Amino acid sequence: MSHNSFGHLFRVTTFGESHGPALGAVVDGCPPRIPLTAEEIQVFLDKRKPGQSRFTTQRREPDEVKILSGVFTDDDGRQVTTGAPIALVIENTDQRSKDYGEIAQKYRPGHADYVYDAKYGIRDYRGGGRSSARETAARVAAGAVARKVLAGVTIRGALVQIGPHEIDRARFDWAEVDANPFFCPDRETAARWADYLDDIRKAGSSIGAVIELEATGVPVGWGAPIYGKLDAELAAALMSINAVKGVEIGAGFAAAELTGEDNADEMRKGPSFLSNHAGGILGGISTGQPIVARFAVKPTSSILTPRKTIDRAGEETEIVTKGRHDPCVGIRAVPVGEAMMACVLADQFLRHRGQNG
């Protein structure tokens, strides 16, 4: 299985499976002499780890990260990066592979079971193996390293829609994001989501969501025309996250409803912009405005409702997926999206510095 790496100068390779002994990442290309400790990485893993509320999977994983290489104590007693590859490992401690025994020979509709088996001739049915969202813990760890490279850049994310229920933009408050279990910037909507998700969860079903990301402090000039566009690489990174089915930058699909006069972000002295429909990117290059992206996450495919499917022999059957699953995987996708944005921006920053000084 190839294509487990992404990035150019800041390059990330992830490894491991949902029910294997561990998973992790190797970060290659991180500049030297940047202070980095496991505790700094752990802060972001704690945002993603499961079992923190009734609205996420009850699999209990501490997600404690260990740094195996790429750091050293400098003359001032600080642990800093050396410029060598940084290996990060996270042990799996709460696997329940027996929960998946009944589906070993069946394909879950909406999941990658069938295509993995058809392509490779073998699949790890225990939690989905490599196709499990458990893999994203490694991305969050790598993203924490990327943030250390991005001095002066702030990256944050929020859940802005669950199912048909959107936030009220008039009440958007970043300070609310860490005050509820949904990473929701709207207190009133978060309260309504709790009741809505309780019903979804009790029914053994699941629901999709939309996540919004913002990066501030990115200067003008990151990205390259044609094949190195910042928005293209950001979209690819977000689309690589498990269960993501759509990405938009700035106004996104809503731009199709705008006229040329409404869509173009007018400029004044400074320079400054009077709007940000472009999402902080023009021609694949950052404008200096906040970079704004959104991505849509489909409902979790593992549900208790009986579904029609086939088995490995091609015979028709039904399937019920037991085990511990997120009723809305979009909740824990927020820190994952932040991490992928951080990795893309760190890579673009290093490439810009290499070409432009």
Side-chain angles (χ1 to χ4, degrees):
M1 184 185 298
S2 56
H3 301 290
N4 293 290
S5 305
F6 68 98
H8 298 270
L9 294 187
F10 187 91
R11 188 162 180 81
V12 176
T13 300
T14 68
F15 61 87
E17 294 82 37
S18 178
H19 286 224
L23 47 86
V26 176
V27 178
D28 193 17
C30 180
R33 300 187 301 279
I34 296 176
L36 179 68
T37 64
E39 290 75 19
E40 291 174 303
I41 300 172
Q42 194 64 51
V43 170
F44 298 102
L45 282 168
D46 286 347
K47 291 180 63 177
R48 181 215 161 273
K49 73 180 180 181
Q52 298 192 79
S53 79
R54 67 182 186 275
F55 305 112
T56 62
T57 173
Q58 293 307 295
R59 178 172 173 174
R60 301 286 180 175
E61 293 284 357
D63 281 357
E64 293 181 0
V65 65
K66 298 177 183 177
I67 304 177
L68 303 184
S69 65
V71 294
F72 191 72
T73 304
D74 69 5
D75 293 339
D76 296 322
R78 305 176 304 167
Q79 181 168 284
V80 299
T81 58
T82 64
I86 300 170
L88 308 167
V89 67
I90 303 163
E91 294 183 357
N92 289 324
T93 62
D94 191 27
Q95 312 96 309
R96 291 185 188 172
S97 299
K98 61 181 177 60
D99 289 347
Y100 297 88
E102 295 182 15
I103 67 167
Q105 299 300 318
K106 299 179 180 181
Y107 300 130
R108 291 169 291 178
H111 213 290
D113 296 346
Y114 166 66
V115 292
Y116 264 59
D117 213 0
K119 182 177 179 68
Y120 300 110
I122 187 172
R123 71 179 175 98
D124 186 346
Y125 60 84
R126 305 165 305 163
R130 186 70 176 148
S131 67
S132 169
R134 180 87 184 118
E135 180 268 346
T136 61
R139 304 184 192 213
V140 173
V145 179
R147 289 174 191 256
K148 297 289 290 186
V149 176
L150 295 166
V153 174
T154 298
I155 298 168
R156 50 191 180 181
L159 203 64
V160 296
Q161 181 176 342
I162 292 182
H165 305 291
E166 300 182 44
I167 64 166
D168 184 340
R169 291 276 169 178
R171 295 195 298 263
F172 196 112
D173 183 359
W174 283 109
E176 289 293 328
V177 169
D178 292 326
N180 61 77
F182 304 108
F183 301 110
C184 178
D186 174 359
R187 180 185 301 179
E188 293 183 25
T189 297
R192 288 196 294 271
W193 284 353
D195 294 335
Y196 176 67
L197 265 187
D198 274 337
D199 292 339
I200 294 288
R201 180 175 57 86
K202 291 173 183 177
S205 188
S206 62
I207 196 68
V210 177
I211 294 92
E212 182 165 311
L213 304 172
E214 178 188 83
T216 57
V218 177
V220 62
W222 292 7
I226 314 301
Y227 301 118
K229 290 184 175 182
L230 175 55
D231 45 355
E233 294 189 358
L234 181 57
L238 297 177
M239 279 298 301
S240 75
I241 299 171
N242 312 63
V244 172
K245 301 303 291 183
V247 175
E248 59 181 12
I249 310 294
F253 285 98
E257 302 176 7
L258 301 176
T259 64
E261 292 86 352
D262 292 331
N263 180 69
D265 300 314
E266 294 182 282
M267 300 180 66
R268 309 304 294 167
K269 285 183 179 180
S272 63
F273 293 85
L274 302 185
S275 58
N276 191 20
H277 297 299
I281 304 171
L282 289 170
I285 300 171
S286 60
T287 66
Q289 286 192 282
I291 294 175
V292 180
R294 282 173 294 279
F295 61 97
V297 178
K298 70 178 182 178
T300 314
S301 299
S302 297
I303 56 177
L304 293 176
T305 308
R307 307 297 294 163
K308 294 180 177 65
T309 189
I310 60 172
D311 59 24
R312 296 191 74 192
E315 297 298 321
E316 295 181 353
T317 184
E318 282 195 344
I319 188 170
V320 172
T321 307
K322 300 176 182 178
R324 299 163 294 174
H325 308 288
D326 293 86
C328 179
V329 74
I331 298 172
R332 293 196 297 133
V334 173
V336 180
E338 291 178 356
M340 294 305 285
M341 176 176 269
C343 289
V344 170
L345 290 176
D347 188 42
Q348 287 280 5
F349 159 61
L350 294 175
R351 288 152 63 187
H352 173 76
R353 188 176 69 174
Q355 183 176 36
N356 293 68

